[in-house]
Amino acid sequence: MAIEPFQILDEEGRARPDLAPDLPGEDHRRLFEVLLCTRRLDERMLLLQRQGRIGFYLGCTGEEAVAVASAYALRPSDWIFPCYREHGAVLWRGMPLGLFVAQCYGSRDDITKGRQMPIHYAWREANVASVSSPVATQIPHATGMAMAARLRGSEDVALVFFGEGSSSGGEFHVGVNFAGVFKAPVVFVCRNNGWAISTPASRQSAAESYAVRAVAYGIQGELVDGNDILAMVVKVREAAARGRRGEGPTLIEARTYRMGAHSSSDDPKAYRDPQEPERMKARDPLVRYRKYLAARGLWTEAWEAEIEERFAREVSEAIARTEKAGPPPLESLFEDVYAEPTPELVRQRQELAAQLGARRKAAAA
Amino acid sequence: MAIEPFQILDEEGRARPDLAPDLPGEDHRRLFEVLLCTRRLDERMLLLQRQGRIGFYLGCTGEEAVAVASAYALRPSDWIFPCYREHGAVLWRGMPLGLFVAQCYGSRDDITKGRQMPIHYAWREANVASVSSPVATQIPHATGMAMAARLRGSEDVALVFFGEGSSSGGEFHVGVNFAGVFKAPVVFVCRNNGWAISTPASRQSAAESYAVRAVAYGIQGELVDGNDILAMVVKVREAAARGRRGEGPTLIEARTYRMGAHSSSDDPKAYRDPQEPERMKARDPLVRYRKYLAARGLWTEAWEAEIEERFAREVSEAIARTEKAGPPPLESLFEDVYAEPTPELVRQRQELAAQLGARRKAAAA
Amino acid sequence: MAVMNIIQAVNSALMNEMERDERVVVLGEDVGKFGGVFRATQGLQARFGEARVFDTPLAEAGIIGTAIGMALYGLKPVPEIQFADFIFPAFDQIVNELAKYRYRSGGQFGAPVVIRTPYGGGIKGGHYHSQSPEALFIHTPGIKVVVPSNPYDAKGLLISCIRGDDPVLFMEPKRVYRAARGEVPETAFTVPLGEAKVTRAGKDVTLLGWGSMWWECDKAAKAAEERGWDVELLDLRSLMPLDVDSIERSVKKTGRVVVVHEAPRTCGFGAELSALVAERWIEYLEAPIVRVTGYDTPFPYTLENEYLPDPNKILAAIEKVMTF
Amino acid sequence: MAVMNIIQAVNSALMNEMERDERVVVLGEDVGKFGGVFRATQGLQARFGEARVFDTPLAEAGIIGTAIGMALYGLKPVPEIQFADFIFPAFDQIVNELAKYRYRSGGQFGAPVVIRTPYGGGIKGGHYHSQSPEALFIHTPGIKVVVPSNPYDAKGLLISCIRGDDPVLFMEPKRVYRAARGEVPETAFTVPLGEAKVTRAGKDVTLLGWGSMWWECDKAAKAAEERGWDVELLDLRSLMPLDVDSIERSVKKTGRVVVVHEAPRTCGFGAELSALVAERWIEYLEAPIVRVTGYDTPFPYTLENEYLPDPNKILAAIEKVMTF
Ligand SMILES: Cc1ncc(C[n+]2csc(CCOP(=O)(O)OP(=O)(O)O)c2C)c(N)n1
Ligand SMILES: Cc1ncc(C[n+]2csc(CCOP(=O)(O)OP(=O)(O)O)c2C)c(N)n1
Ligand SMILES: [Mg+2]
Ligand SMILES: [Mg+2]
């Protein structure tokens, strides 16, 4: 187990020639574009939250490379089980901004029907599972899906994200252990961003790393610089290929850093030295990758400006559309509890509709 | 991490002179006595179960050394959190046979008041926590007790037993992880007896050992021959001393073997090659230790016969007493739910008493 | 038709459905070669292979958590929890994940996992081999709760659950696992969810029971007959969804209700039934409803017969409502 | 006396008790330096040190599991579960271990762990920052369940819990964490468990509520007054043990009962209350009992106002029992 994280790009954006993957220029540019848009999306949504136009937001600034690289390194048919800080992965998979924004508003055009807090998306069409607030619960789901894929003779692989804090929960242990025992093709991506709300990573484990835990499950472990998009691409690709070859799961610890607050409800000033994120700026995955691309002639300022402009416009359009959509219909409250509503649910729906009807009538009178 | 279990006594009962602990002869003899009595207790209780005099039994034949050595290596003030197969540990601590037998009968003289199935003892006076059927739940209790001891400035250490199967549960992970993070003085004894009911140890983990999991928690790990009582004494002593020095917990994998059925409800013929226990007889901890003591002049056949005879008599007396004791009183059903019964519990008690009273009256009439 | 006990009926249902639908898989502790500690999955691994019938590591959260993942991918997992008392390590997976997955994804995903588990007392199992936690799951929107009392229903209901699209907790009355015997077709058939069965028609008292308690109710009903009380006994079978219509019909006829369950009284399912009946049809009630239940204590060992509802206690309750 | 909100009252209780009894320790996620995501433990670590007030790894089973061990050894742990929705990973530890430890050891051991947790909806928290799981714990013999609605009770009840010898689930109504303000002594005092408070005397209808729903009930009671209905409002405060006597007195006076809670209707604590009242005092009832509750769905996000009981819905229920 390496003590130093696997790295390809240094802080100046110089790549190790022996390690750098040979990606097509178009892929590089698309990766950069999604990194950049993810960052801008965060800024825009946080602003909306501060304006009171959405109720909550949780950003991923500084951690985008982990998610974008992981999604890129997979096949579209592979399944992603997100934690809640991997907006870059769904953007990579092409989630229309309208879906993302509508989910944050919980409006009528939200495909999850306004049932969960912002950023708890689910997108079956693209093999993206449903985000859940209770942390770590998605880990055994990924294992189960991967076991099912093997059973069905498919080559599909599962990739699951979770924070280093979440890895303290029992579901980390059972999920990874099952995968080890059943040699399930899962890529476990432990996104170690240094913090779990106010709790530093040092309080979550006394081990030298999270990657080293792979030994406890008899599986492959990798410690990777999660702010190095190329390093992440290489290691997730290897892990997915290993899974597809029937060689079982991989536990990747992606070392990254939470640049912002935990969420819009949080204020890190109460617990974190403000110098810490300042120092970490040198490792910014977007900046490093930009330098790398620039040096290879794949980036220009004009191109970046063009992406930004287009993206800002698309987000604005999505917001405008969603803000006009209104809330989901009342009946939707009672749908999807079961495949078909039970008689009692029908009764409750009628009861509520009658009550609101009466109230409206009374108000009108 | 050693790949071969730490061993002092070989199968012929020869000790490695460089490793053998220098125990007083009296201790050796007492250790042997408790090992032997534990074995005999199993036989006797299983017989009672077959005769229908107790409802259930779960034995530890072949695994006695793990428990007896562990208890011996501790101070009496240290706490023991048993799983359910460590009768040797409570016998070492001097549990009166009457208590053990009464618990198995759930009779009026059972200090746990007939509340649980046989072998679910609890013995506060001797710092033995309460046995619970749900496996692995006691692991975080041990960690918490050890954290509390440190906080109170005490030197007390916690020792917790659990099976290798139980270590697949989430509570293993959280319990050991907390201990690592808080440097709690806990000795985790994973009793790897090869089986979890019908499930072989190979189905519980893909790792090379259970001891290796210590790496995942940044703590000391030890792989020990659990059928070698001297090896267990040495390693548990080291672990307890480490804890007392403030150096945190130790995870010991004690390799042993379940010679019998999982419990009186089980029949291994349905899933286990009967040759397997036969082969394992060569590693019997009692036999090895007997040879060792005999070679050192600490054992005679007459002495063993005397122990057996006395023990058999004591058990018989305990059984006779308990069989006369009758069931716990009806009121006891409603005690100890809370420190004081709630008004509703008092009401329920009265309701039941009245009902049974009426029934008795009707029967008499 | 063969005579089967409940274990055999469950086994037969699993055989039929695994044969019929290759997406059905069985997992859990000791369910493979051993066929389960109660032998309900016996022979499945030999017939359908280790890929579809397999032992898991000892971790209920893993059993249910991976089953959810399998179901999301399109399988129909039928995990076994060895005893209902051991379901709690998986409680978060069941309550926060399994039950809410369809709703929270806006209906995009479903996770039709059918959890089989033996429940209940009367086998000298003490605290941890006796519990009846149905109320906890009935209170959890998104999961169905089904409890057969006899082999025929066990098979027909289990097949309905497996063919359905929803998560189900299928609770098997282990006390009568072998004692309850009856004719059961060897081929597949279904008993629909959400329908109670009137197992005895009567005009004086409505007795509501399910699972192993149905048997105690039946004995009590017979004893009541000798006393001249005509008991109508409903085997509820499916607790969620509940067959409110059948209850209504019976209550309106008899005007007297006794509810029986093993779980502790306070906040047990009996509370819901009692509340529901009195809230909706109070004007039909000739007497207060009586609940005969376990007490508000953990499940005891030695005194379990005193703890459990039995025909005497039920008869006393019938007497109470008849003589109010 | 100072004016405090509920967060400050809880904080004050912890300060007093940690000062008074060095066995009291506080643990949980983010409770240390940060003082908790709702800041209820703010300042405790600075005052009492890292040994007695500490952040744990992110694992509720570990928080409760280690707290049990600490309590067995003689400490008085007051763990925080960050949101009631996240208590389920610790469900096995609470239901099978904490609640049963005294009973199963024949009274040899006690584990007086007081679990604090914010619960309830109305803060746009969706599925997982809104649940009200009280019924699950009330159904679990061996643990008490306490829910204050205001700062005074919050402090007095929490101190009673900490000084008691039993495990308690102390549920804090986060929706009114800051909005509910009132005079609270800075020194320690106790409010006994098992006593409801009649916060408004009335002769027509008994309204039973607790926690944040008490506030909705209070508004509804005032609105009812305008309609000429005289509501008696009970703040139950302690759900287990329950103050049956106060309920009895009120029901016998009014003959009409409305029960309000946020949790889903089926098998919620309202079912127990409704059942209990109708079973014991049916002859006093002038109208069927009405429950105003959350619906039998997971807790929604956008439509949470439609989901939750509110003064309008409660008033409609009052009207229903008054005009029966
Ligand atoms: C089971 C559970 N307990 C507590 C919480 C509250 N909570 C939300 S996020 C969080 C910290 C998670 O930290 P980490 O896993 O490192 O992920 P990160 O937020 O740093 O990406 C906590 C404690 C939760 N969501 N789920
Ligand atoms: C949480 C839980 N799940 C299932 C069981 C049923 N059960 C009892 S013992 C056992 C096997 C335990 O194996 P192991 O931990 O290796 O201990 P051993 O019996 O071999 O000593 C199982 C599955 C249980 N007691 N608790
Ligand atoms: Mg983190
Ligand atoms: Mg074992």
Side-chain angles (χ1 to χ4, degrees):
Chain A
M1 186 83 29
I3 294 295
E4 280 303 302
F6 175 77
Q7 197 186 64
I8 295 176
L9 285 179
D10 69 12
E11 293 189 356
E12 294 313 312
R14 286 175 304 231
R16 290 259 313 252
D18 53 330
L19 299 175
D22 184 26
L23 309 184
E26 261 326 287
D27 288 15
H28 276 304
R29 286 165 62 94
R30 178 81 188 124
L31 281 167
F32 180 81
E33 188 178 339
V34 175
L35 270 190
L36 182 68
C37 291
T38 306
R39 175 84 42 107
R40 295 295 166 258
L41 184 62
D42 259 14
E43 291 159 2
R44 187 67 179 275
M45 299 310 283
L46 267 173
L47 190 66
L48 282 184
Q49 194 280 330
R50 272 193 223 106
Q51 295 169 337
R53 290 159 75 186
I54 59 174
F56 171 85
Y57 191 68
L58 187 149
C60 57
T61 295
E63 308 181 44
E64 300 93 341
V66 178
V68 176
S70 296
Y72 169 69
L74 297 177
R75 298 182 184 165
S77 53
D78 294 329
W79 282 48
I80 294 177
F81 292 80
C83 170
Y84 46 57
R85 217 183 279 287
E86 291 88 14
H87 314 330
V90 290
L91 289 196
W92 178 268
R93 289 236 162 152
M95 181 179 271
L97 281 170
L99 286 196
F100 188 94
V101 169
Q103 198 285 323
C104 288
Y105 275 84
S107 49
R108 188 179 281 257
D109 48 351
D110 168 17
I111 56 169
T112 64
K113 304 193 189 174
R115 300 257 170 78
Q116 287 210 82
M117 288 173 75
I119 62 90
H120 289 66
Y121 31 75
W123 192 26
R124 180 168 201 170
E125 213 181 286
N127 300 320
V128 176
S130 160
V131 172
S132 178
S133 312
V135 299
T137 50
Q138 72 280 16
I139 301 175
H141 302 173
T143 302
M145 176 260 141
M147 289 165 72
R150 283 198 87 188
L151 178 65
R152 302 291 278 170
S154 144
E155 286 208 329
D156 295 349
V157 159
L159 183 142
V160 56
F161 296 104
F162 50 90
E164 86 294 341
S166 313
S167 77
S168 295
E171 270 141 325
F172 165 81
H173 180 63
V174 300
V176 181
N177 192 47
F178 270 58
V181 166
F182 293 109
K183 282 195 171 294
V186 193
V187 186
F188 295 101
V189 181
C190 176
R191 204 177 20 70
N192 179 359
N193 63 3
W195 293 89
I197 309 185
S198 78
T199 307
S202 57
R203 180 43 60 105
Q204 302 291 348
S205 167
E208 64 177 61
S209 73
Y210 292 88
V212 79
R213 291 187 181 167
V215 174
Y217 305 105
I219 67 174
Q220 181 76 21
E222 302 280 1
L223 178 60
V224 185
D225 179 350
N227 284 12
D228 173 348
I229 193 164
L230 298 184
M232 281 301 299
V233 165
V234 168
K235 286 300 176 187
V236 175
R237 274 189 174 175
E238 283 178 17
R242 189 175 298 121
R244 265 187 256 284
R245 284 195 307 270
E247 292 167 21
T250 304
L251 173 61
I252 295 178
E253 172 181 353
R255 285 261 170 93
T256 179
Y257 187 74
R258 197 190 81 203
M259 295 296 290
H262 170 73
S263 74
S264 59
S265 314
D266 177 46
D267 178 8
K269 277 199 291 292
Y271 57 80
R272 183 166 83 171
D273 177 1
Q275 290 307 305
E276 196 182 274
E278 277 309 310
R279 279 196 306 274
M280 290 295 179
K281 277 192 178 159
R283 300 184 50 219
D284 186 315
L286 185 63
V287 174
R288 278 155 78 181
Y289 196 41
R290 186 190 283 125
K291 284 180 186 162
Y292 171 78
L293 294 185
R296 305 185 78 209
L298 287 166
W299 176 91
T300 65
E301 217 173 309
W303 176 60
E304 177 159 337
E306 185 194 307
I307 298 172
E308 300 234 0
E309 201 209 317
R310 181 173 33 77
F311 187 72
R313 196 179 55 241
E314 285 173 14
V315 178
S316 298
E317 286 165 9
I319 292 170
R321 269 197 312 276
T322 277
E323 290 192 343
K324 279 206 285 280
L330 192 66
E331 312 83 73
S332 74
L333 191 54
F334 300 92
E335 289 163 4
D336 304 321
V337 182
Y338 302 94
E340 298 296 331
T342 61
E344 282 306 295
L345 276 168
V346 171
R347 198 186 155 99
Q348 293 183 6
R349 185 183 70 207
Q350 288 164 347
E351 174 191 307
L352 174 61
Q355 235 163 25
L356 293 186
R359 216 184 282 179
R360 263 193 302 273
K361 230 190 269 166
Chain B
M1 186 79 33
I3 295 295
E4 280 303 301
F6 175 77
Q7 197 187 64
I8 295 177
L9 285 180
D10 69 12
E11 294 190 356
E12 295 312 314
R14 286 173 305 230
R16 290 260 313 253
D18 52 330
L19 299 176
D22 185 23
L23 309 185
E26 262 325 287
D27 287 17
H28 275 305
R29 286 166 63 94
R30 178 83 189 123
L31 282 166
F32 180 79
E33 187 178 341
V34 176
L35 271 191
L36 181 67
C37 292
T38 306
R39 175 82 44 105
R40 295 298 166 255
L41 184 62
D42 259 14
E43 292 160 2
R44 187 67 179 274
M45 300 308 284
L46 268 173
L47 191 65
L48 282 183
Q49 194 281 330
R50 273 193 224 108
Q51 296 169 335
R53 290 158 76 186
I54 60 175
F56 173 84
Y57 191 70
L58 187 149
C60 57
T61 295
E63 309 182 43
E64 300 93 342
V66 179
V68 176
S70 295
Y72 168 70
L74 297 177
R75 297 181 186 167
S77 53
D78 294 331
W79 283 46
I80 294 177
F81 292 80
C83 170
Y84 46 56
R85 217 183 280 284
E86 293 89 13
H87 314 329
V90 290
L91 289 196
W92 177 267
R93 289 233 161 154
M95 180 178 273
L97 280 171
L99 287 196
F100 188 95
V101 170
Q103 198 287 322
C104 288
Y105 274 86
S107 50
R108 187 179 281 257
D109 49 349
D110 168 17
I111 58 170
T112 64
K113 304 192 189 176
R115 300 260 170 75
Q116 288 209 83
M117 288 172 77
I119 64 93
H120 289 65
Y121 31 76
W123 191 26
R124 181 169 199 169
E125 215 179 285
N127 300 318
V128 176
S130 158
V131 172
S132 179
S133 313
V135 298
T137 51
Q138 73 279 16
I139 301 175
H141 303 172
T143 301
M145 176 261 141
M147 290 166 71
R150 284 199 87 190
L151 178 65
R152 303 290 278 170
S154 142
E155 285 206 330
D156 295 348
V157 158
L159 183 142
V160 56
F161 296 104
F162 50 89
E164 86 294 341
S166 312
S167 77
S168 295
E171 270 141 327
F172 166 82
H173 180 62
V174 300
V176 181
N177 192 45
F178 270 57
V181 166
F182 293 109
K183 281 193 169 295
V186 193
V187 185
F188 296 101
V189 180
C190 177
R191 203 176 22 68
N192 180 358
N193 63 4
W195 293 90
I197 308 183
S198 78
T199 308
S202 59
R203 181 40 62 104
Q204 302 291 346
S205 169
E208 64 179 57
S209 73
Y210 292 88
V212 80
R213 291 186 181 168
V215 173
Y217 305 105
I219 67 174
Q220 182 74 23
E222 304 280 2
L223 178 60
V224 185
D225 179 349
N227 284 11
D228 172 350
I229 193 163
L230 298 183
M232 281 302 299
V233 165
V234 166
K235 286 300 174 186
V236 175
R237 274 189 173 174
E238 283 178 18
R242 188 177 298 121
R244 267 188 254 283
R245 285 196 306 271
E247 292 168 18
T250 303
L251 173 60
I252 296 177
E253 173 182 353
R255 286 261 171 93
T256 179
Y257 187 74
R258 197 190 81 203
M259 295 296 290
H262 170 73
S263 74
S264 59
S265 315
D266 178 45
D267 178 9
K269 277 199 291 294
Y271 55 80
R272 184 166 81 171
D273 177 0
Q275 291 307 307
E276 196 182 274
E278 278 308 312
R279 278 195 306 275
M280 289 295 177
K281 278 192 176 156
R283 300 185 50 219
D284 187 315
L286 185 64
V287 174
R288 278 155 78 180
Y289 197 40
R290 186 190 283 124
K291 285 181 186 160
Y292 171 76
L293 294 186
R296 305 184 77 211
L298 287 166
W299 177 90
T300 65
E301 220 174 308
W303 175 60
E304 177 160 335
E306 184 193 308
I307 298 172
E308 300 234 359
E309 200 209 316
R310 181 172 34 75
F311 186 73
R313 196 179 52 241
E314 284 172 15
V315 178
S316 297
E317 285 164 10
I319 292 170
R321 269 198 312 277
T322 276
E323 291 194 341
K324 278 205 285 283
L330 192 66
E331 312 84 75
S332 74
L333 191 54
F334 300 92
E335 288 163 7
D336 306 319
V337 183
Y338 303 95
E340 298 294 332
T342 61
E344 282 306 297
L345 277 169
V346 171
R347 198 187 155 96
Q348 292 182 6
R349 186 184 66 208
Q350 288 163 348
E351 175 190 308
L352 174 60
Q355 235 162 27
L356 293 187
R359 215 183 285 178
R360 262 193 304 271
K361 230 189 273 170
Chain C
M1 281 218 276
V3 171
M4 295 187 193
N5 63 29
I6 295 182
I7 296 172
Q8 291 161 335
V10 164
N11 188 267
S12 173
L14 293 169
M15 286 278 181
N16 288 164
E17 289 310 287
M18 291 195 77
E19 191 71 63
R20 178 177 176 271
D21 183 350
E22 60 170 19
R23 296 170 309 162
V24 177
V25 296
V26 164
L27 66 156
E29 293 154 13
D30 307 299
V31 298
K33 188 169 177 192
F34 190 34
V37 296
F38 289 104
R39 325 309 297 271
T41 58
Q42 203 168 12
L44 293 176
Q45 190 180 70
R47 176 121 157 233
F48 301 105
E50 290 189 35
R52 288 180 65 200
V53 182
F54 53 93
D55 290 335
T56 64
L58 205 179
E60 287 75 12
I63 295 170
I64 304 302
T66 57
I68 293 172
M70 292 173 204
L72 295 175
Y73 194 73
L75 297 190
K76 289 257 186 176
V78 188
E80 173 177 302
I81 298 293
Q82 203 162 80
F83 285 83
D85 314 69
F86 305 139
I87 204 166
F88 302 125
F91 202 72
D92 191 46
Q93 282 292 341
I94 297 173
V95 162
N96 268 341
E97 298 296 318
L98 181 60
K100 298 183 175 45
Y101 217 106
R102 181 186 292 277
Y103 196 77
R104 80 179 193 217
S105 67
Q108 292 180 78
F109 291 97
V113 175
V114 179
I115 306 171
R116 291 183 40 249
T117 191
Y119 86 95
I123 61 147
K124 281 280 179 191
H127 278 39
Y128 299 116
H129 297 79
S130 306
Q131 293 177 61
S132 299
E134 63 275 6
L136 308 180
F137 299 96
I138 298 171
H139 187 50
T140 301
I143 185 162
K144 296 180 172 175
V145 180
V146 173
V147 194
S149 69
N150 61 67
Y152 184 90
D153 285 348
K155 177 165 178 177
L157 288 166
L158 182 54
I159 291 179
S160 287
C161 293
I162 295 172
R163 294 188 186 174
D165 293 317
D166 293 310
V168 186
L169 182 65
F170 189 83
M171 298 174 68
E172 300 170 3
K174 64 176 177 289
R175 182 186 187 172
V176 293
Y177 248 164
R178 294 188 181 83
R181 297 170 59 81
E183 297 226 313
V184 181
E186 272 156 66
T187 53
F189 66 99
T190 60
V191 171
L193 268 54
E195 295 189 8
K197 190 157 99 190
V198 180
T199 63
R200 182 190 176 94
K203 62 178 190 347
D204 295 332
V205 192
T206 298
L207 191 53
L208 302 178
W210 59 88
S212 31
M213 282 298 113
W214 177 86
W215 296 86
E216 305 300 296
C217 290
D218 192 52
K219 284 179 217 152
K222 284 174 187 144
E225 195 169 14
E226 290 171 25
R227 307 272 298 266
W229 299 319
D230 190 15
V231 173
E232 174 143 310
L233 173 55
L234 269 67
D235 182 349
L236 295 182
R237 302 196 291 196
S238 155
L239 309 189
M240 168 59 70
L242 181 67
D243 182 355
V244 177
D245 293 343
S246 291
I247 297 174
E248 177 173 7
R249 259 192 307 274
S250 184
V251 170
K252 287 187 171 167
K253 176 164 68 171
T254 65
R256 296 182 189 85
V257 181
V258 171
V259 186
V260 183
H261 62 68
E262 298 181 47
R265 178 167 316 168
T266 299
C267 268
F269 188 49
E272 179 59 42
L273 292 170
S274 174
L276 187 124
V277 168
E279 285 164 14
R280 299 207 183 156
W281 311 298
I282 196 169
E283 62 274 36
Y284 293 88
L285 288 183
E286 312 268 355
I289 297 168
V290 176
R291 284 182 271 168
V292 183
T293 66
Y295 301 107
D296 287 333
T297 75
F299 202 99
Y301 176 70
T302 308
L303 297 177
E304 82 164 332
N305 289 335
E306 286 71 16
Y307 178 87
L308 281 170
D310 63 15
N312 280 314
K313 292 183 187 176
I314 300 168
L315 192 62
I318 292 172
E319 174 166 11
K320 201 164 162 190
V321 298
M322 287 309 301
T323 58
F324 178 73
Chain D
M1 282 221 276
V3 170
M4 297 186 191
N5 63 30
I6 294 181
I7 296 171
Q8 291 160 335
V10 164
N11 189 268
S12 173
L14 293 170
M15 285 279 180
N16 290 164
E17 290 308 288
M18 292 196 76
E19 193 72 64
R20 177 177 177 272
D21 183 349
E22 60 170 17
R23 296 170 309 163
V24 178
V25 298
V26 164
L27 66 157
E29 292 154 13
D30 306 298
V31 299
K33 188 169 177 190
F34 190 33
V37 297
F38 289 104
R39 323 311 296 273
T41 58
Q42 204 168 12
L44 294 177
Q45 190 179 72
R47 178 124 156 230
F48 301 104
E50 291 190 34
R52 290 181 62 201
V53 183
F54 54 91
D55 291 336
T56 63
L58 205 180
E60 288 75 13
I63 294 171
I64 304 303
T66 57
I68 293 172
M70 292 173 204
L72 294 176
Y73 194 71
L75 297 189
K76 289 260 186 172
V78 188
E80 175 177 301
I81 297 293
Q82 203 162 79
F83 286 83
D85 314 70
F86 304 140
I87 204 166
F88 301 125
F91 201 71
D92 190 46
Q93 282 291 340
I94 297 173
V95 162
N96 267 341
E97 297 295 317
L98 181 61
K100 297 184 176 42
Y101 218 107
R102 181 185 291 278
Y103 196 77
R104 80 179 193 217
S105 67
Q108 292 181 78
F109 291 97
V113 174
V114 179
I115 306 171
R116 292 182 40 249
T117 192
Y119 85 94
I123 60 150
K124 282 277 179 195
H127 278 40
Y128 298 116
H129 297 80
S130 307
Q131 293 176 62
S132 299
E134 64 274 5
L136 307 181
F137 298 95
I138 298 170
H139 187 50
T140 302
I143 186 163
K144 296 180 170 175
V145 181
V146 172
V147 195
S149 70
N150 61 67
Y152 184 91
D153 285 348
K155 178 166 178 177
L157 288 166
L158 182 54
I159 291 180
S160 288
C161 294
I162 294 173
R163 294 189 187 173
D165 293 317
D166 292 311
V168 186
L169 181 67
F170 189 83
M171 299 176 66
E172 301 171 2
K174 64 176 178 290
R175 182 185 187 173
V176 293
Y177 247 164
R178 294 189 181 82
R181 296 169 59 80
E183 299 225 313
V184 181
E186 273 157 64
T187 52
F189 66 98
T190 60
V191 171
L193 268 56
E195 294 188 9
K197 190 155 98 190
V198 180
T199 64
R200 182 190 177 96
K203 60 177 189 354
D204 295 332
V205 191
T206 298
L207 192 53
L208 301 178
W210 59 89
S212 32
M213 281 299 113
W214 177 86
W215 296 85
E216 305 301 295
C217 289
D218 192 53
K219 285 180 215 148
K222 283 174 187 144
E225 195 170 14
E226 290 170 26
R227 307 274 296 269
W229 299 319
D230 190 15
V231 172
E232 175 145 306
L233 173 55
L234 268 68
D235 183 349
L236 295 183
R237 301 196 293 194
S238 158
L239 310 188
M240 169 58 69
L242 181 67
D243 182 355
V244 176
D245 293 343
S246 291
I247 297 174
E248 176 173 9
R249 260 193 306 276
S250 184
V251 169
K252 287 187 171 167
K253 178 163 71 170
T254 65
R256 295 181 190 86
V257 181
V258 172
V259 186
V260 182
H261 63 68
E262 298 181 44
R265 178 165 315 169
T266 298
C267 269
F269 187 49
E272 179 59 43
L273 291 169
S274 174
L276 187 125
V277 168
E279 284 164 13
R280 299 208 184 157
W281 312 297
I282 197 170
E283 62 272 38
Y284 293 89
L285 288 183
E286 311 267 357
I289 297 167
V290 176
R291 283 181 274 169
V292 184
T293 67
Y295 302 106
D296 288 332
T297 75
F299 202 100
Y301 176 70
T302 308
L303 297 177
E304 81 165 331
N305 289 335
E306 286 72 15
Y307 178 86
L308 280 170
D310 64 15
N312 280 314
K313 291 184 188 175
I314 300 169
L315 193 61
I318 292 172
E319 175 166 9
K320 200 164 165 190
V321 297
M322 288 308 303
T323 58
F324 178 72

